[in-house]
Amino acid sequence: MDKELVIVLDFGGQYNQLIARRVRDMNVYCEVLSYTTPLDELLAKKPVGIILTGGPNSVNLPDSPQYDKGLFEAGIPVLGICYGAQLMAWTLGGNVEPAKVSEYGKTDITVSNGSTILEGVSEHTVGWMSHRDYISAVPEGFKITASTAVCPAAGMENDEKKLYAVQYHPEVTHSVEGDKVFKNFLFKVCACKGDWKMDDFAETTIQAIREKVGTGKALCALSGGVDSSVAAVLMSKAIGKQLTCVFVDHGLLRKDEAESVDKVFGPEGPYDLNFVHVDAHERFYEKLKGVTEPEQKRKIIGEEFIRVFEDEAKKIGAVDYLVQGTIYPDVIESGLGKSATIKSHHNVGGLPDYVDFKEIIEPLRMLFKDEVRRVGLHLGIPEELVFRQPFPGPGLGIRIIGDVTEEKVKIVQEADAIYREEIAKAGLARDISQYFAALTNMRSVGVMGDARTYDYAIALRAVTTSDFMTADSAQIPWEVLQKITNRIVNEVDHVNRVFYDCTSKPPGTIELE
């Protein structure tokens, strides 16, 4: 299929795929390539534009990521962001130096007149900065288009050569007019038509899966969550009966979750997926006994999942491929590539060193949650499933601070069920991106029925986000929180306090572990 292509050249920044997501949101097809991709290979793809990402390095260091200067002489429009801006300046003869004061977070930016890439952006705007170095002198032929109190060249461009750069991150939502930068680059500079749709992703992915698997067999790790469900339906449409979907009940699911998954994907459900239900809660509890460190829990759960899938694959016979519903935030937080490890996701960084499958297929690996939902709707998956609450693969194991026991799992299940029920009654379910109850390891004195108690505290978490890379705590009405609190304390054994987590991401993560 012929389509316009924009390439995001990745220099190790946390937001590289977020840039691609912004481009795709504007109906322009986009791929992410490593900076190690040779120039001739990159140009062979015939991109209409190239975007250079941010990164953690300094361009002045000898081991920092560099790129062929020919990129800037190929006549293809280039947009440099953060490190990408500094690399463009340094490569073309400008100066990049350590700043006297680093800039991080929301920063006031002054925009100059006559900028192509910043056309339509307010003279005084706000951008998200994250840099230690700054461009102290722009290359010959460039003009400065934006500045801050610390950074004299927060934007620069050379219209003649179609080279543009901004020091801040227009891809994050905190940059209030960031979309205008991408629109100007894509439609004014690159002359894109904007005729690519997410539907195209589904069709091309189905075809690619069909070609890869051929006559082989695949086993899909189906949790019943949004990501694995969409992956399963994609695979089913691609290879039909060659697919077996295995649902592992590890004893760490939400209340009544196993029954719900059976109803949707089992023999009586609408999908023909060769569905297998494995009750493995005893082996998971045994592996987790006495383990308190959250990263270790993730690793243990991730490995045990694989071992269960390997056992099931042997029963099926000759299974070459393991299919997972991995999405991009899983990948970036697990520290693959150049980004820092935040936490290992059970299906990415939590994988053991040895996996007894020929290959792992992750058809949604480069998508964000909202993009996965759009694919799901295109595939005809019911809205109630597509928009269900996200649930991590390690389940309640990472929503219990400290060691995991069957009693603690029961506490969290009951508290979480009450929380979800009341949020739904209040009409807030679709307004909150993710919400759940977690069990802290704090016990404190309380008074119930004129008697002293010494019991656990439940923490409630709720966030709003579009991409799960950053998130704000949801502002739930106080009367709703009061009702939830009263019900949990009164109805759930061994709980005498309820807290609400007001932390954004960053500095926190979405899960509470």
Side-chain angles (χ1 to χ4, degrees):
M1 180 182 63
D2 292 331
K3 54 185 176 288
E4 297 169 324
L5 169 66
V6 169
I7 288 176
V8 173
L9 202 57
D10 175 22
F11 288 90
Q14 286 276 345
Y15 305 127
N16 53 41
Q17 189 65 26
L18 188 52
I19 296 171
R21 181 261 174 91
R22 294 286 177 251
V23 174
R24 292 197 298 254
D25 279 350
M26 295 176 186
N27 297 325
V28 176
Y29 183 68
C30 188
E31 292 181 2
V32 180
L33 299 179
S34 168
Y35 73 90
T36 59
T37 304
L39 179 61
D40 58 351
E41 185 178 324
L42 185 154
L43 296 179
K45 289 179 170 287
K46 299 181 179 178
V48 297
I50 298 166
I51 302 176
L52 313 180
T53 76
N57 303 92
S58 171
V59 295
N60 294 307
L61 297 178
D63 59 348
S64 64
Q66 306 293 332
Y67 204 73
D68 193 320
K69 185 178 180 181
L71 173 69
F72 304 109
E73 299 167 348
I76 300 171
V78 179
L79 170 62
I81 294 174
C82 195
Y83 180 87
Q86 296 171 4
L87 180 65
M88 181 185 294
W90 186 84
T91 302
L92 297 177
N95 292 330
V96 177
E97 302 175 11
K100 294 179 180 178
V101 179
S102 299
E103 285 182 313
Y104 295 100
K106 293 181 180 179
T107 305
D108 293 328
I109 297 172
T110 300
V111 175
S112 306
N113 292 326
S115 169
T116 299
I117 205 69
L118 298 176
E119 184 178 334
V121 177
S122 304
E123 182 181 355
H124 299 288
T125 190
V126 174
W128 186 267
M129 290 284 194
S130 182
H131 67 101
R132 295 182 298 270
D133 294 348
Y134 76 113
I135 300 169
S136 57
V138 300
E140 184 179 350
F142 281 75
K143 65 179 180 181
I144 293 174
T145 57
S147 61
T148 71
V150 172
C151 187
M156 68 175 191
E157 61 189 57
N158 183 326
D159 263 324
E160 182 182 351
K161 293 186 177 181
K162 296 185 178 181
L163 302 178
Y164 306 87
V166 290
Q167 182 60 64
Y168 66 101
H169 288 274
E171 67 272 23
V172 303
T173 54
H174 299 296
S175 293
V176 295
E177 297 178 278
D179 277 356
K180 293 178 181 178
V181 174
F182 291 110
K183 285 179 180 176
N184 288 334
F185 181 68
L186 295 174
F187 301 113
K188 292 183 181 298
V189 177
C190 301
C192 293
K193 301 185 190 73
D195 56 2
W196 180 81
K197 297 180 177 61
M198 187 56 70
D199 299 357
D200 300 332
F201 169 85
E203 301 310 320
T204 55
T205 300
I206 288 170
Q207 183 59 36
I209 291 168
R210 193 171 290 143
E211 292 174 0
K212 174 183 284 290
V213 176
T215 59
K217 294 180 183 179
L219 184 153
C220 179
L222 177 61
S223 71
V226 179
D227 307 328
S228 66
S229 298
V230 173
V233 175
L234 267 174
M235 292 297 300
S236 178
K237 287 184 177 293
I239 62 173
K241 287 294 187 180
Q242 296 163 244
L243 175 71
T244 298
C245 291
V246 177
F247 167 63
V248 178
D249 182 355
H250 52 9
L252 303 169
L253 299 169
R254 291 175 288 203
K255 185 178 181 180
D256 301 327
E257 187 88 356
E259 293 81 356
S260 174
V261 173
D262 281 347
K263 184 177 179 180
V264 175
F265 294 104
E268 306 303 318
Y271 302 105
D272 188 11
L273 296 177
N274 290 333
F275 180 78
V276 177
H277 181 147
V278 180
D279 184 353
H281 72 277
E282 289 186 2
R283 62 190 285 179
F284 277 88
Y285 283 169
E286 183 62 30
K287 291 285 185 180
L288 289 169
K289 187 180 293 184
V291 178
T292 60
E293 205 280 318
E295 184 69 3
Q296 189 180 357
K297 289 182 192 176
R298 285 179 174 272
K299 297 283 188 181
I300 289 171
I301 293 169
E303 176 163 0
E304 200 60 22
F305 262 122
I306 292 296
R307 301 309 169 219
V308 174
F309 294 138
E310 288 173 345
D311 291 345
E312 293 304 311
K314 290 172 185 174
K315 297 176 186 178
I316 299 167
V319 176
D320 291 326
Y321 301 95
L322 173 66
V323 183
Q324 298 190 135
T326 308
I327 65 173
Y328 188 70
D330 300 341
V331 175
I332 201 69
E333 289 188 339
S334 294
L336 302 191
K338 300 291 187 293
S339 58
T341 301
I342 299 166
K343 57 188 178 185
S344 291
H345 288 261
H346 78 288
N347 53 343
V348 190
L351 289 175
D353 293 334
Y354 175 73
V355 178
D356 194 15
F357 291 92
K358 175 182 175 182
E359 190 173 341
I360 295 176
I361 297 176
E362 296 169 319
L364 309 175
R365 186 181 179 88
M366 302 311 277
L367 299 185
F368 286 90
K369 182 72 72 176
D370 61 324
E371 293 180 317
V372 173
R373 288 187 167 124
R374 284 158 58 189
V375 173
L377 292 174
H378 172 70
L379 293 172
I381 300 175
E383 282 196 18
E384 59 267 26
L385 179 55
V386 170
F387 289 99
R388 73 179 303 186
Q389 275 288 298
F391 189 66
L396 302 181
I398 57 169
R399 291 180 180 174
I400 295 171
I401 308 300
D403 63 325
V404 177
T405 66
E406 203 160 352
E407 180 188 47
K408 288 181 178 180
V409 170
K410 179 72 171 175
I411 292 171
V412 183
Q413 285 178 332
E414 296 298 330
D416 185 72
I418 291 170
Y419 187 20
R420 288 187 286 126
E421 182 182 330
E422 292 300 329
I423 289 293
K425 284 182 181 178
L428 299 172
R430 291 286 286 271
D431 297 329
I432 304 173
S433 304
Q434 187 167 350
Y435 54 94
F436 58 87
L439 181 65
T440 73
N441 61 350
M442 186 193 98
R443 300 183 74 181
S444 63
V445 174
V447 178
M448 300 176 73
D450 295 326
R452 178 185 185 274
T453 62
Y454 186 65
D455 279 325
Y456 289 106
I458 284 286
L460 303 179
R461 181 80 163 132
V463 298
T464 57
T465 178
S466 61
D467 51 42
F468 288 81
M469 294 294 286
T470 60
D472 291 319
S473 60
Q475 297 185 30
I476 298 175
W478 180 246
E479 59 271 19
V480 177
L481 285 174
Q482 277 188 314
K483 188 172 184 180
I484 294 166
T485 298
N486 289 338
R487 282 197 61 192
I488 289 175
V489 170
N490 287 320
E491 298 176 31
V492 182
D493 291 338
H494 307 299
V495 175
N496 64 4
R497 289 182 189 270
V498 175
F499 299 137
Y500 184 68
D501 184 353
C502 298
T503 315
S504 64
K505 175 189 178 180
T509 60
I510 289 176
E511 290 296 334
L512 196 154
E513 55 186 305

